[in-house]
Amino acid sequence: MNEGFQWSEHGSNLIEATGQTLYMVSATLLIGGVLGLALGMGLYTTRRGGLLQQRWVFGFLNLLVNIFRPIPFLILLFAVAPLTVGIVGTRLGSTAMIVPMSVAATFGVSRIVEQNLVAIDPGVIEAARATGATRWRIITTLLVPEALGPLILGYTFICIAVVDMSALAGTLDGGGLGAFALDYGYKRWNFGVVWVTVIVIIVLVQLAQALGNRLSRKVMHRN
Amino acid sequence: MSHIIEFRDVTKVFSGRAGTVTAVDHVDLSVEEGEIFAVIGYSGAGKSTLVRLINGLERVTSGALIVDGEDVVRMSESQLERKRRDIGMIFQQFNLFRSRTVAGNVAFPLKVAGWPRDKRDARVAELLDFVGLLDRAHSYPEQLSGGQKQRVGIARALAAGPKILLADESTSALDPETTQDVLRLLKKVNRELGVTVVVITHELEIVRALADRVAILESGRVVESGTVFETFSKPASEVGRRFVSTVLHDQPRGDDLARIRQAHPGRIVTATIHDGSRLGAVLAGAGAHGVTFEIVYGGIGTLQARSFGSLTLELTGPAPAVDRVVADLRGVTEIEEVA
């Protein structure tokens, strides 16, 4: 049973599992990234002193995020299953896993976005207002570019959390590297497979972090 | 000349958790079209708030504030957005958009004002040429020095051709030499483009170098205003005198006074100096009365191309003769006894 990682036996499964992981992670980053950006901008603009200061709206959004964020991902996975079935038609498989992962990512990303927007120098917003720019123009054309460097780093941070989520999702019939390590490694007591999976995940994470660092440096124009 | 900005009994109250703060307190003030008007005050005097009322970044609590014929107090936020296109503003910390190039910063107000792209590019080049930064058009703010950043700030503020430029402590973050460059540029903006400039500062040097008229603000109130020469050659308020003492040793105070008193037992008076005060002639005649004099303190400078300042003199001799000389001095200028 414990014969280690054999390319002939495990290779095609590893490649397929890596593909599924990349699929889940990139779809989640796209959906959760966009929704989280919108929610984060909502939090930032409606907070006290914000461009669209709205106490009740902020209170509602803040509460919503605070309710969802502390739910452990494993429980969220079950909890949103009816929603998953409603959207995807099934609660199994990589595509279905994108729903709970996107929900979790949305709330995580929203806080990252809020934090990085809060860090924008208020003087810059004031300067934009002084030119006569509408609040809508400032929100749509200035906020994200001004915070882009740190936002990219924040997204990179979330990306790694999403890889983590995907592994957990995989163990619940989601496929991907988590399922691969569980089925071919742990269940058969084959730690060669487990370690190869870990290495693949480390490489993916390293690549994501390197890309994030590079992009954020590029957009910050510091020389 | 007509009033381009007129504060009529303007008050601004901030209310927060810690209670209310009156930042601007019943201010009446007018700025003439085409002049450089300075508001000077110590930090916390309310001058930053005062200037932000003009373009509606802060809203007036009570009173009327007429800016180029319209009362901004009655305007809605969207009306104010339209109004702000005619009012440029520059800041102490420059507040440039870090994500945009120099050209992109200058183009921003033009996009806001809806200029077509080709006209925009030509206008950006024209402005960068005006502030001497045409070669840095494609640089990012973080690649510029402080003085260059402020010049970009000025170009951005002038982009849409405003009638008014508000300068909030625009040189406070700059070294003395760069400050002079920026002041020269602001003067050029005023003289060549006819833009009315409102300068907020805590330094009398800036007022002296730049302004035509000045208001002194303390605790949200205007304590003095007038031409720069009138206001600072004869400051009527304590704050005004303190500002003057930052650039001129006009009257000995505190430790200086104690030291002078100790070293000079004679009668000590301070004489105001201005063009045409014939102090020398009187002092030259003092010897004939048996009075000798010593200059113990003072300074003379220029304000708006006129001399101003004061000299503190020790007069020694028989009391009646000294009285006589002091009386003669009073005949040519203002004399103040130094206690």
Side-chain angles (χ1 to χ4, degrees), chain B:
Chain B
M1 287 210 281
S2 63
H3 300 334
I4 191 163
I5 302 171
E6 199 177 343
F7 286 77
R8 293 185 195 150
D9 197 25
V10 168
T11 294
K12 170 66 179 177
V13 178
F14 286 104
S15 36
R17 292 178 181 180
T20 62
V21 178
T22 305
V24 173
D25 195 358
H26 298 288
V27 165
D28 285 292
L29 205 63
S30 51
V31 177
E32 310 291 337
E33 188 157 6
E35 74 173 339
I36 301 184
F37 189 91
V39 177
I40 188 171
Y42 291 104
S43 57
K47 47 194 198 305
S48 279
T49 304
L50 184 83
V51 75
R52 278 164 177 74
L53 295 174
I54 298 171
N55 61 358
L57 289 178
E58 297 289 355
R59 302 303 301 263
V60 171
T61 307
S62 70
L65 175 46
I66 315 300
V67 179
D68 197 20
E70 296 171 294
D71 188 354
V72 295
V73 178
R74 295 167 185 281
M75 286 187 174
S76 68
E77 183 62 26
S78 61
Q79 286 173 312
L80 276 173
E81 283 165 354
R82 183 69 192 74
K83 184 79 179 171
R84 288 187 195 119
R85 296 185 197 170
D86 299 327
I87 307 170
M89 187 166 187
I90 58 174
F91 306 85
Q92 179 173 7
Q93 295 302 333
F94 325 122
N95 296 350
L96 299 181
F97 308 133
R98 288 159 45 162
S99 57
R100 283 165 161 76
T101 60
V102 165
N105 269 273
V106 180
F108 187 85
L110 299 173
K111 287 186 189 169
V112 168
W115 287 45
R117 184 172 179 131
D118 49 336
K119 278 182 74 188
R120 219 158 62 203
D121 291 347
R123 178 68 177 155
V124 168
E126 183 189 342
L127 283 157
L128 290 180
D129 187 45
F130 183 79
V131 300
L133 282 176
L134 203 48
D135 56 327
R136 303 308 301 266
H138 302 293
S139 301
Y140 282 89
E142 305 219 8
Q143 298 159 341
L144 303 179
S145 69
Q148 288 172 327
K149 284 181 190 169
Q150 196 56 293
R151 285 193 274 159
V152 176
I154 292 171
R156 180 177 65 180
L158 296 176
K163 285 188 169 176
I164 300 168
L165 177 65
L166 308 175
D168 183 16
E169 296 279 7
S170 53
T171 58
S172 301
L174 301 174
D175 61 55
E177 200 173 318
T178 319
T179 295
Q180 291 309 314
D181 287 344
V182 169
L183 294 180
R184 268 195 294 275
L185 183 55
L186 289 175
K187 227 167 186 154
K188 188 171 145 190
V189 167
N190 175 254
R191 302 280 183 268
E192 290 182 16
L193 307 178
V195 174
T196 305
V197 182
V198 178
V199 180
I200 299 297
T201 183
H202 65 277
E203 292 169 281
L204 183 54
E205 275 299 346
I206 306 296
V207 179
R208 196 157 83 144
L210 208 56
D212 302 309
R213 292 195 310 134
V214 63
I216 305 177
L217 205 65
E218 190 188 26
S219 307
R221 278 186 287 268
V222 173
V223 292
E224 271 190 73
S225 70
T227 69
V228 172
F229 186 80
E230 282 165 9
T231 309
F232 288 108
S233 62
K234 292 171 197 158
S237 65
E238 180 53 36
V239 205
R241 277 191 288 272
R242 266 195 289 161
F243 275 118
V244 170
S245 71
T246 60
V247 289
L248 278 187
H249 296 295
D250 69 324
Q251 271 205 355
R253 276 163 230 271
D255 290 349
D256 288 340
L257 181 58
R259 186 189 55 74
I260 289 166
R261 265 267 154 258
Q262 202 170 15
H264 301 280
R267 180 163 169 191
I268 296 178
V269 295
T270 295
T272 302
I273 306 294
H274 41 75
D275 289 334
S277 52
R278 306 196 28 85
L279 203 65
V282 175
L283 292 174
H289 302 292
V291 174
T292 57
F293 72 91
E294 192 69 57
I295 297 171
V296 297
Y297 199 85
I300 301 170
T302 54
L303 263 181
Q304 296 185 314
R306 293 151 82 185
S307 300
F308 91 111
S310 67
L311 292 177
T312 298
L313 309 165
E314 179 203 27
L315 301 168
T316 316
V322 170
D323 284 346
R324 176 74 193 276
V325 172
V326 171
D328 289 348
L329 287 171
R330 283 194 205 281
V332 296
T333 186
E334 295 95 87
I335 296 296
E336 223 177 301
E337 297 283 342
V338 176

Side-chain angles (χ1 to χ4, degrees), chain A residues 47-66:
Chain A
R47 72 205 304 273
R48 196 147 58 89
L51 281 163
L52 306 171
Q53 182 173 325
Q54 288 288 340
R55 205 170 145 203
W56 297 109
V57 176
F58 175 79
F60 171 73
L61 295 178
N62 194 44
L63 183 69
L64 195 69
V65 175
N66 283 347

Side-chain angles (χ1 to χ4, degrees), chain A residues 24-173:
Chain A
M24 288 190 282
V25 169
S26 45
T28 301
L29 281 176
L30 198 68
I31 298 166
V34 171
L35 296 178
L37 181 67
L39 184 54
M41 289 178 90
L43 286 165
Y44 169 75
T45 51
T46 57
R47 72 205 304 273
R48 196 147 58 89
L51 281 163
L52 306 171
Q53 182 173 325
Q54 288 288 340
R55 205 170 145 203
W56 297 109
V57 176
F58 175 79
F60 171 73
L61 295 178
N62 194 44
L63 183 69
L64 195 69
V65 175
N66 283 347
I67 287 171
F68 276 91
R69 280 236 306 151
I71 300 177
F73 181 63
L74 189 63
I75 294 172
L76 191 72
L77 210 54
F78 307 139
V80 302
L83 178 70
T84 307
V85 174
I87 295 174
V88 186
T90 168
R91 60 183 180 80
L92 302 178
S94 299
T95 305
M97 290 307 150
I98 292 169
V99 176
M101 286 169 68
S102 294
V103 171
T106 297
F107 293 105
V109 167
S110 70
R111 284 293 184 214
I112 300 253
V113 169
E114 183 193 20
Q115 277 166 20
N116 286 310
L117 294 181
V118 168
I120 297 175
D121 180 359
V124 167
I125 308 291
E126 187 176 47
R129 289 184 63 209
T131 67
T134 60
R135 286 167 293 181
W136 182 245
R137 176 185 287 274
I138 295 170
I139 291 166
T140 54
T141 70
L142 197 66
L143 290 185
V144 170
E146 284 298 306
L148 194 57
L151 276 178
I152 289 172
L153 291 177
Y155 271 83
T156 309
F157 175 83
I158 287 289
C159 170
I160 289 153
V162 170
V163 170
D164 184 23
M165 278 189 240
S166 80
L168 195 62
T171 62
L172 273 148
D173 304 308

